[in-house]
Amino acid sequence: MEVVEERSNLADVHHIVLVLSGKGGVGKSTISTELALALRHAGKKVGILDVDLCGPSIPRMLNAQNKDVHQCDAGWVPVFVDQEKTISLMSIGFLLENSDDAVVWRGPKKNALIKQFVCDVAWGELDFLIVDTPPGTSDEHISVVENLRQYNPDGAILVTTPQAVSVGDVRRELTFCKKTGLHILGIIENMSGFICPHCTECANIFSKGGGEELAKQAGVPFLGSVPLDPRLAQSLEEGKDFLSTFPQSAAFEAIQHIAEQILNNSAVNV
């Protein structure tokens, strides 16, 4: 009797990119969300896998927090955040009865859900799957990397802020990537200066250049600096598309530049 091999739910996902940070509060989920939107504007079909189990913020950032996950023969159907179905999202936020519920789980239960997210979500055909991870280098990260390894992810983007404390934590994230064999696509320095929305002057509130200097020391690409912009924060709070609303902002230019580099890298890795 012939055995029919089961087709993977990631078989039609062309590129997988992980977004990592050494510590919380550096804007990792912001980068994941805006990168997905930038790739969508470039004509790509994008999925976001939110494996930040204790802090699932991306559903709110994409104004999808009140939507439900459904089942199909292949597993879970991700939530589509637009009518054209160009961005799909899977997050534990959709599985909680109340958005204020805390996820108080030990490692094995978290790892089991991460494996289910990787294997049992019916993404369909995607140009990019962006995996938003929790901060640090914990059990969840090892589980994500191990479960994705067979699908040959393109690599990881590391997000930092300019301060020495944050840069030091990302240095440990670099070590994690090297130990697990995860290719590093580059480093992004987020919150790099504050752009006044009235006069467009830039003030370096958290200093500047730490992420770029770290990239030079580590010999990895520096993808760019994204400045603080109150309009970006407000857009995320309201679940609106910052890139289509404020195309003249410096943050727009920075995010577009980062997306172009990811696209160029994916063209090389076809």
Side-chain angles (χ1 to χ4, degrees), residues 130-147:
I130 297 171
V131 183
D132 185 53
T133 65
T137 55
S138 62
D139 234 11
E140 292 104 307
H141 300 81
I142 298 170
S143 182
V144 169
V145 172
E146 287 181 346
N147 283 291

Side-chain angles (χ1 to χ4, degrees), residues 56-130:
S57 53
I58 291 185
R60 176 172 178 171
M61 291 178 173
L62 290 171
N63 196 28
Q65 64 268 38
N66 295 320
K67 298 189 178 183
D68 297 317
V69 170
H70 300 285
Q71 292 274 352
C72 69
D73 291 342
W76 281 328
V77 179
V79 167
F80 295 100
V81 303
D82 58 342
Q83 289 186 338
E84 296 79 17
K85 297 186 177 181
T86 54
I87 295 185
S88 51
L89 170 63
M90 187 64 196
S91 170
I92 194 175
F94 299 130
L95 308 179
L96 300 175
E97 289 186 12
N98 188 308
S99 60
D100 294 331
D101 287 346
V103 177
V104 188
W105 292 355
R106 294 188 184 275
K109 192 169 182 180
K110 288 182 178 180
N111 295 338
L113 182 61
I114 288 170
K115 183 176 182 179
Q116 201 170 359
F117 274 173
V118 170
C119 300
D120 295 346
V121 178
W123 295 104
E125 185 168 3
L126 293 178
D127 295 301
F128 287 90
L129 177 64
I130 297 171

Side-chain angles (χ1 to χ4, degrees), residues 188-205:
I188 295 173
E189 183 175 296
N190 195 28
M191 306 184 196
S192 183
F194 168 75
I195 302 294
C196 176
H198 304 293
C199 68
T200 68
E201 286 291 321
C202 180
N204 295 321
I205 297 174

Side-chain angles (χ1 to χ4, degrees), residues 143-218:
S143 182
V144 169
V145 172
E146 287 181 346
N147 283 291
L148 286 174
R149 195 183 303 281
Q150 62 181 305
Y151 305 107
N152 299 315
D154 290 35
I157 295 171
L158 309 186
V159 182
T160 185
T161 51
Q163 310 98 303
V165 170
S166 178
V167 170
D169 288 334
V170 172
R171 189 173 282 110
R172 287 184 280 275
E173 201 78 41
L174 284 164
T175 305
F176 169 82
C177 291
K178 290 173 182 175
K179 285 185 175 181
T180 56
L182 185 60
H183 176 63
I184 300 168
L185 295 172
I187 294 174
I188 295 173
E189 183 175 296
N190 195 28
M191 306 184 196
S192 183
F194 168 75
I195 302 294
C196 176
H198 304 293
C199 68
T200 68
E201 286 291 321
C202 180
N204 295 321
I205 297 174
F206 300 128
S207 76
K208 190 175 179 68
E212 186 170 8
E213 182 61 31
L214 176 61
K216 287 179 182 176
Q217 293 174 7

Side-chain angles (χ1 to χ4, degrees), residues 7 9 12 27 34 37 190 196 252:
R7 186 171 170 80
N9 277 326
D12 294 322
E34 296 305 320
L37 290 169
N190 195 28
C196 176
F252 170 90

